[in-house]
Amino acid sequence: MKLLLGCIADDFTGATDLANNLVRAGMRVVQTIGIPDAPVAGVDAVVVALKSRTIPAAQAVSQSIGALRWLQAQGCGQFYFKVCSTFDSTPQGNIGPVAEALMDALKADFCCVTPAFPENGRTVFKGHLFVGDVLLSDSGMRNHPLTPMTDANLVRVMQAQSRGKVGLIDHDVVRRGPEAIRGRIAKLGGEGGRFAIVDAIDNQDLLALGRAIADAPLVVAGSGVAIGLPQNHGLAPSTEAARLPAASGAKAVVSGSCSAATNGQVQHFLQQGLDAFAVDPLRIAAGQDVAGEALVWARSRLGDKPVLVYSSAPPEVVRGIQQSIGAGEAGEMVEKTLAKIARGLVDAGVGQLIVAGGETSGAVVQALGVRQMRIGPQIDPGVPWCHAGLHLALKSGNFGTPDFFTKAFTQLQ
Ligand SMILES: Nc1ncnc2c1ncn2[C@@H]1O[C@H](COP(=O)(O)OP(=O)(O)OP(=O)(O)O)[C@@H](O)[C@H]1O
Ligand SMILES: O=C(O)[C@@H](O)C(=O)CO
């Protein structure tokens, strides 16, 4: 059986987010960690998770083209480049350069682009991206250390990193439905345009866009557009596609995300009086065996109630640590330590594991030797349970309700 959709995601939690929306809309999906070395059978879509969001553009292009070639070899007819719902990028890329390289490889003339994900508060109107009630440029993303987003006008943002001309399909057109969208694509393409940012403020808009681009070789989007593509293959939302084996084993959370949502989730967990171990980056830097200590601490506590191991901290604490040992060094040390702890927890019997943070998830999944994950039911928008021998939930820093670290396990019972 041929794959219906081939997806390339620029980070790990983003890949899971996309896979989750495809599954909810009725596709059976496998997420692979990097380019697989063997064919994947029995699914409708494969999401290849790369870690290409902030690496040099040339490397991001070459990894993405590698993923495209593998997906083409599986017979995919349509491709999806998953980018962040806050359009994380710089004038150097990587959204524009990767999108143009994929279009060249696919001989595609035109491509629709939208990070809209209304269920998670990301909407695009008149080409401007809103995060909840504020413009992207007024959201916390303006302070992002690697990809500060200081302009909410996505036509301008995309144009700055693309050779081809970028236009807009605005909401007046989108709400008139698929035919009107197709008409505008043809018009913009006829005027020499290569990309259009597409407005979408609710799921209805995304379903219309999904229909309009049924025959397009490529779409560049957050996970939102995924809800509109399975309908083109006669698939409908169902819980069947999200069925996973029964969960077993002890429960644990490993959190290296320092985003506001995760910090709130850590506080909520602590307020429940549940067991938690704080990882101190300064002690790691001083050469202490923090991973060993955490595992000794955890072993006697593993069981039905979840344990939490976290380095998550508020921005002022993180800044202090970064000033003392360097931002890159602190990040790498913490990631390595948390990954070692996650490996030890699984060896000690953890079978249900939540990991918070995209970089942290990448490090943990690599330490666990996971190459593929089957996507299961959604916990919160953008975060599903997955199965890879054990049950895993990879949570984007900004996603999930405050009780996520306890509620997620209840869902598996
Ligand atoms: N206390 C800390 N001090 C300094 N750096 C830390 C600390 N805790 C975690 N880190 C590092 O901060 C980074 C957090 O990035 P990560 O991608 O895991 O989370 P996020 O940015 O919130 O998630 P997402 O990418 O899904 O939005 C990691 O490199 C992690 O190792
Ligand atoms: O689209 C999003 O916001 C997320 O899937 C993501 O990419 C997190 O890094």
Side-chain angles (χ1 to χ4, degrees):
M1 198 185 70
K2 280 188 177 177
L3 288 178
L4 302 176
L5 188 67
C7 311
I8 302 162
D10 69 353
D11 88 341
F12 284 65
T13 45
T16 313
D17 173 15
L18 170 60
N20 176 57
N21 273 352
L22 291 170
V23 166
R24 283 196 309 144
M27 279 188 171
R28 294 163 304 156
V29 182
V30 158
Q31 173 179 337
T32 68
I33 309 302
I35 301 168
D37 35 31
V40 175
V43 291
D44 304 304
V46 171
V47 182
V48 178
L50 301 178
K51 229 165 163 284
S52 58
R53 186 172 291 172
T54 54
I55 62 177
Q59 286 175 31
V61 165
S62 121
Q63 291 182 18
S64 304
I65 292 293
L68 177 75
R69 295 297 179 218
W70 184 86
L71 290 163
Q72 283 178 313
Q74 314 309 305
C76 290
Q78 187 172 43
F79 300 87
Y80 195 127
F81 175 35
K82 159 69 176 69
V83 300
C84 193
S85 64
T86 42
F87 219 67
D88 300 11
S89 55
T90 69
Q92 286 72 48
N94 290 334
I95 299 176
V98 171
E100 292 195 308
L102 293 173
M103 287 171 78
D104 290 346
L106 290 166
K107 300 193 179 14
D109 299 325
F110 195 85
C111 179
C112 287
V113 181
T114 186
F117 186 10
E119 282 177 85
N120 252 342
R122 274 56 155 173
T123 51
V124 182
F125 188 69
K126 303 283 178 199
H128 288 72
L129 176 57
F130 289 82
V131 178
D133 294 334
V134 300
L135 284 168
L136 174 68
S137 44
D138 291 325
S139 77
M141 287 307 297
R142 70 181 183 279
N143 298 320
H144 193 282
L146 301 175
T147 50
M149 301 305 292
T150 54
D151 188 358
N153 181 330
L154 297 185
V155 175
R156 239 176 357 224
V157 173
M158 185 69 184
Q159 190 63 78
Q161 51 189 288
S162 310
R163 283 177 280 117
K165 192 167 141 198
V166 183
L168 171 67
I169 301 182
D170 81 8
H171 195 247
D172 285 345
V173 174
V174 175
R175 75 177 164 192
R176 281 193 275 122
E179 274 311 311
I181 299 172
R182 268 196 286 267
R184 187 52 61 99
I185 290 173
K187 183 167 185 297
L188 291 171
E191 292 166 359
R194 200 129 200 254
F195 293 108
I197 299 293
V198 186
D199 279 359
I201 60 171
D202 57 24
N203 282 355
Q204 218 41 49
D205 295 337
L206 293 173
L207 291 169
L209 176 60
R211 281 251 185 259
I213 59 170
D215 299 323
L218 178 71
V219 61
V220 174
S223 67
V225 174
I227 68 164
L229 296 180
Q231 62 181 346
N232 297 329
H233 303 279
L235 297 168
S238 86
T239 49
E240 197 49 40
R243 204 173 286 280
L244 293 183
S248 61
K251 301 169 180 146
V253 183
V254 172
S255 178
S257 157
C258 299
S259 73
T262 307
N263 281 330
Q265 287 151 353
V266 168
Q267 284 315 310
H268 188 277
F269 188 95
L270 299 177
Q271 281 156 13
Q272 308 307 301
L274 293 162
D275 287 328
F277 183 98
V279 167
D280 179 353
L282 296 179
R283 294 193 62 239
I284 307 175
Q288 314 271 338
D289 181 14
V290 177
E293 288 169 25
L295 289 170
V296 169
W297 171 89
R299 271 190 200 106
S300 60
R301 291 173 169 84
L302 290 181
D304 202 39
K305 285 190 181 166
V307 299
L308 166 68
V309 178
Y310 69 104
S311 65
S312 311
E316 60 284 3
V317 175
V318 173
R319 262 195 302 277
I321 289 166
Q322 288 177 334
Q323 274 159 11
S324 149
I325 51 181
E329 290 78 353
E332 204 181 317
M333 267 189 276
V334 172
E335 282 172 37
K336 274 198 186 134
T337 303
L338 292 181
K340 198 165 167 193
I341 293 169
R343 173 77 261 173
L345 289 172
V346 171
D347 291 344
V350 166
Q352 304 167 59
L353 178 66
I354 297 173
V355 188
E359 297 299 325
T360 310
S361 294
V364 166
V365 157
Q366 272 158 7
L368 295 181
V370 170
R371 300 302 312 268
Q372 280 187 20
M373 305 195 303
R374 183 77 193 242
I375 307 300
Q378 171 172 295
I379 307 163
D380 269 330
V383 201
W385 274 112
C386 305
H387 191 257
L390 77 162
H391 282 74
L392 268 176
L394 308 182
K395 190 196 78 71
S396 289
N398 287 315
F399 288 178
T401 55
D403 59 349
F404 187 93
F405 290 164
T406 45
K407 151 181 112 171
F409 295 109
T410 315
Q411 189 180 318
L412 280 184
Q413 276 160 10

